[in-house]
Amino acid sequence: MPIKDHYNTIESNILLKLRKGLSKDLTYHTVQHTLDILKNAERIAHQENIHNENDLDLLKVACLYHDSGFLFSYKGHEEESCKLAKKELPGFNITPNEIEVICGLIMATKIPQTPHNKLEEIICDADLDYLGTKDFSRISDTLFQELKKRKMVTTKREWDTIQVSFLKKHHYFTETSKKLREKQKLIHLKAIEAML
């Protein structure tokens, strides 16, 4: 049975879990973040000419689960996301092979990102799409607040230094994101460097 027959149930099931279970301290890794990644991935996949319905469904399921590990752990949340996918998805007739693909997609988003194929490149670019958008400052501030609550960063200056280093190392993988996001990302980088 194709994934699309179960997709809506999978989506509502995991979104309900995230809405109920994610810590209120997570100001960046929210349900909205998951929905944004899903939307970004669908847009990029379309622009990258991914038309195979099953591939698209695997990508969408991976997006929905990619940060579900935050329900259990902050550190190593990708591994936890995979564990949850492996536990739940067989109940929706997702095959072991398909679950492996989904886990590969989830693990590709781990920083530093290591995509091995086109679908993994798409989820990586979707996950960090905001780096090259006009919303960058607002969204990066939610991540700053989240890390601050966990004492992983203390001052705005320290955060800006981390961001400069991250933006310099980061690169988009798909032609779509390179064209659409790279230029704006470099503008953000220059702006933060100027403040430092």
Side-chain angles (χ1 to χ4, degrees):
M1 198 180 275
I3 297 174
K4 71 170 167 37
D5 295 351
H6 294 282
Y7 178 78
N8 289 343
T9 318
I10 293 170
E11 184 181 50
S12 47
N13 170 63
I14 189 65
L15 289 177
L16 181 66
K17 259 199 175 74
L18 295 173
R19 284 193 179 103
K20 279 186 170 170
L22 285 176
S23 160
K24 297 291 171 258
D25 279 356
L26 296 171
T27 45
Y28 172 81
H29 291 103
T30 58
V31 174
Q32 189 55 54
H33 168 73
T34 295
L35 293 170
D36 288 344
I37 300 320
L38 181 61
K39 191 176 76 202
N40 293 335
E42 287 187 271
R43 173 182 53 77
I44 298 167
H46 177 70
Q47 289 169 314
E48 292 285 314
N49 294 314
I50 305 290
H51 299 301
N52 179 305
E53 210 170 308
N54 210 52
D55 283 351
L56 286 168
D57 286 335
L58 289 169
L59 177 65
K60 283 158 61 179
V61 172
C63 289
L64 289 168
Y65 273 87
H66 91 287
D67 278 345
S68 61
F70 281 110
L71 292 164
F72 314 103
S73 164
Y74 201 84
K75 205 168 159 27
H77 72 272
E78 295 91 353
E79 287 82 0
E80 293 297 329
S81 299
C82 273
K83 275 189 211 163
L84 185 64
K86 284 176 176 169
K87 189 174 131 191
E88 292 188 345
L89 293 175
F92 298 104
N93 285 351
I94 309 277
T95 69
N97 280 352
E98 289 171 332
I99 292 170
E100 278 313 304
V101 171
I102 289 166
C103 281
L105 286 160
I106 292 168
M107 292 310 296
T109 66
K110 191 176 179 133
I111 306 295
Q113 295 176 325
T114 51
H116 299 107
N117 58 49
K118 178 61 82 182
L119 288 181
E120 290 180 7
E121 287 180 354
I122 291 169
I123 196 173
C124 286
D125 284 357
D127 197 19
L128 293 176
D129 184 70
Y130 83 97
L131 297 176
T133 68
K134 301 268 195 246
D135 266 348
F136 170 77
S137 295
R138 180 186 63 78
I139 294 171
S140 88
D141 192 58
T142 64
L143 184 53
F144 171 56
Q145 299 304 331
E146 182 175 302
L147 296 173
K148 206 167 143 184
K149 282 197 180 96
R150 291 184 160 59
K151 312 229 181 309
M152 292 162 82
V153 60
T154 47
T155 65
K156 185 74 170 72
R157 188 176 175 82
E158 184 192 351
W159 172 236
D160 284 340
T161 309
I162 291 167
Q163 291 212 96
V164 164
S165 167
F166 187 75
L167 286 166
K168 280 182 171 169
K169 283 185 204 142
H170 172 267
H171 61 272
Y172 288 111
F173 298 98
T174 63
E175 286 310 310
T176 300
S177 294
K178 284 178 194 169
K179 272 204 288 264
L180 208 61
R181 300 291 185 232
E182 195 65 42
K183 197 170 152 195
Q184 187 65 45
K185 186 186 81 175
L186 294 174
I187 292 170
H188 297 315
L189 171 60
K190 285 196 173 64
I192 302 169
E193 282 181 319
M195 286 193 292
L196 288 170

